[in-house]
Amino acid sequence: MLNPRYLVHTYPDLTALNQAAATYWVEQATQAIAQRAAFHVALTGGSTPQPLYRLLATPEVANKLDWNCVHIYIGDERYVPHDHPDSNYGMVKACMLDQIAIPPENLHPIPTQYEQAHDAAADYAEVLSSIASKTEQVPELDLIMLGMGEDGHTASLFPGTDILQVTDKTVAAVYVEKLASWRVSMTYPTLNRAKQVMVLVSGEGKADILAHILQKDSETLYPIQSVSPAGEMHWFLDQAAAGKLDQSSS
Ligand code: 6PG
């Protein structure tokens, strides 16, 4: 049985997944703009969301939104310059941001010009503090997009890394041994304060771990299982990723 705290949506392929994800994204943006005149969204890196970003930038979809009210953040970043092929912000910019009429001051990339990734994390925490409540001091994003790796990582919260224990910072730097590289990532306090979280997962390589993670009684073993937002957590899956889920009693 699937864990009832998750809202799981399965689509035949990556194209259908991204179309549904785009509809959901636009709905969330429209609602936030109608209620608060602003939509604060954190985008994810990885390959799965790239068709979604391209779709959001098409005139048919982009014209549905007032981009003056949309604020773009990045959930995690590989610690390389934005014009490096590995940069998440560089990818998002090429797929989407360069194609839409969004004011530059609404773009909030994770800085990567510091010598130390820790300084970049502290700088980004300061940026995010502008959308934090005065009392809690944790940023409250309207929507956080996430992906999931085959090892159960999400954002740059990798198994066995120190960042999993961070509770006093909203953004932190982490050295990922198996990638031999530094990353900067939103931490659990930020992910768990989100109004909505959407996770995009595709491909049969993730079917086994996904079946484990989404089941009702699975223990918290993988980093993504500790994401428990204030609002809903929607999983957008393609059939290949969902192939091993027991959906009979979901
Ligand atoms: C990154 C991420 C990471 C990603 C997953 C899934 O910087 O790589 O933000 O958490 O979302 O690794 O990536 P794919 O979509 O490529 O499988």
Side-chain angles (χ1 to χ4, degrees):
M1 184 182 179
L2 297 183
N3 189 325
R5 83 181 173 91
Y6 296 141
L7 295 149
V8 179
H9 317 283
T10 304
Y11 303 94
D13 52 35
L14 187 58
T15 305
L17 181 164
N18 279 302
Q19 269 159 359
T23 302
Y24 169 80
W25 202 101
V26 170
E27 273 168 15
Q28 293 305 311
T30 307
Q31 206 175 57
I33 293 169
Q35 289 171 357
R36 297 179 290 280
F39 177 55
H40 295 274
V41 57
L43 305 186
T44 178
S47 55
T48 315
Q50 294 182 18
L52 166 60
Y53 298 146
R54 290 196 200 93
L55 199 53
L56 291 172
T58 58
E60 301 74 51
V61 181
N63 290 345
K64 293 182 179 160
L65 290 175
D66 178 357
W67 292 94
N68 294 308
C69 298
V70 176
H71 286 262
I72 303 281
Y73 303 82
I74 302 291
D76 74 307
E77 186 57 278
R78 294 100 182 263
Y79 205 60
V80 292
H82 293 149
D83 59 3
H84 188 283
D86 289 345
S87 167
N88 282 341
Y89 185 71
M91 177 276 285
V92 165
K93 188 169 173 305
C95 290
M96 173 181 173
L97 305 177
D98 284 346
Q99 277 69 254
I100 54 175
I102 185 164
E105 62 272 22
N106 290 14
L107 303 176
H108 310 282
I110 294 177
T112 56
Q113 76 275 18
Y114 294 93
E115 197 174 320
Q116 303 291 331
H118 291 289
D119 293 330
D123 180 326
Y124 206 50
E126 190 59 37
V127 170
L128 289 179
S129 69
S130 71
I131 52 165
S133 71
K134 295 270 176 300
T135 45
E136 310 281 339
Q137 294 176 347
V138 177
E140 203 173 82
L141 286 134
D142 294 307
L143 175 64
I144 296 183
M145 297 177 65
L146 295 173
M148 185 192 77
E150 289 178 27
D151 58 358
H153 81 260
T154 193
S156 285
L157 306 179
F158 285 83
T161 54
D162 294 349
I163 196 171
L164 303 181
Q165 270 73 54
V166 172
T167 54
D168 60 346
K169 294 188 181 84
T170 58
V171 182
V174 56
Y175 184 73
V176 184
E177 199 84 51
K178 71 176 176 184
L179 301 173
S181 62
W182 281 93
R183 303 257 186 133
V184 172
S185 181
M186 291 183 181
T187 58
Y188 286 128
T190 302
L191 301 185
N192 290 344
R193 184 51 63 95
K195 293 204 178 79
Q196 297 277 313
V197 167
M198 68 190 294
V199 191
L200 273 57
V201 187
S202 72
E204 67 178 335
K206 294 179 182 165
D208 282 320
I209 187 165
L210 195 64
H212 173 88
I213 284 171
L214 294 186
Q215 73 185 1
K216 183 167 176 281
D217 298 320
S218 79
E219 291 178 12
T220 298
L221 293 175
Y222 296 102
I224 199 165
Q225 288 172 282
S226 297
V227 178
S228 184
E232 294 167 337
M233 184 157 174
H234 290 263
W235 293 75
F236 289 82
L237 315 176
D238 66 2
Q239 193 46 52
K244 296 196 175 164
L245 294 184
D246 170 14
Q247 307 218 22
S248 54
S249 48
S250 63

